[in-house]
Amino acid sequence: MPADTNAAGDIFGGWVLSQMDIAAGICAGQRAQSRVVTVALDSMSFIRPVKVGDILGIYTHVCELGRTSMAIHVEAWVRRDRIGLREKVTEGKFKFVSIDKHGNSTPIPHEDELPDYVRDGV
C-alpha cells in the first residue's frame, strides 16, 4: 500500500523484512511443532526494490536444524504488473528457537516423530 512506501515509491525494506519473518516463523513452527521465536537474522540481501502494485510471494525452507534451534532460508519474489516478469527481490536466513509454554527452549522433534502432514513437507 502507498503508506508502506518511501519517497521514491518503493516499499520499505522493513515491511518486506516483517513479511519474511512471519513466513519463516510459520515454517519454523510447523517443523518444531511448538511455539518458536526469532533469535537472529544471520543474513539479509535486498536485491531489487518492491514497487506498489507488485505481487509479493515468500518462500521458505529449513536449511539447518539443531537440538532446539533451526535456520530458515527465506526468499521473496515479486510478479511485476500483476502478470509480468517474476523476479527475486530479497533473501535472508532467519534463526529460530523452539520454546515451551513457559518460554524455555525445548527440543525439536526428530523427523520420524512428526505427523505425516508435516513430514511430507519437510
Side-chain angles (χ1 to χ4, degrees):
M1 299 300 292
D4 298 314
T5 64
N6 60 26
D10 300 328
I11 302 296
F12 284 123
W15 183 87
V16 176
L17 175 67
S18 71
Q19 302 307 300
M20 294 172 74
D21 187 43
I22 291 167
I26 291 168
C27 176
Q30 287 176 336
R31 178 58 184 86
Q33 292 291 288
S34 69
R35 184 174 168 210
V36 295
V37 292
T38 309
V39 295
L41 177 54
D42 290 344
S43 66
M44 189 74 180
S45 298
F46 292 96
I47 302 163
R48 302 234 185 275
V50 178
K51 304 279 188 188
V52 172
D54 286 347
I55 299 170
L56 183 67
I58 310 282
Y59 303 92
T60 63
H61 72 271
V62 177
C63 61
E64 295 173 24
L65 191 60
R67 192 178 77 76
T68 62
S69 66
M70 70 186 85
I72 309 295
H73 181 258
V74 185
E75 292 185 357
W77 290 70
V78 296
R79 182 156 314 269
R80 306 279 187 201
D81 302 318
R82 301 196 187 270
I83 58 171
L85 178 67
R86 185 175 175 264
E87 59 185 317
K88 183 163 56 169
V89 293
T90 310
E91 66 181 330
K93 185 175 169 185
F94 293 71
K95 191 172 214 174
F96 289 83
V97 169
S98 174
I99 61 171
D100 63 19
K101 65 182 178 180
H102 304 291
N104 300 313
S105 61
T106 186
I108 297 168
H110 293 287
E111 192 171 328
D112 60 352
E113 299 172 314
L114 296 172
D116 288 339
Y117 68 89
V118 175
R119 195 172 333 136
D120 293 342
V122 173

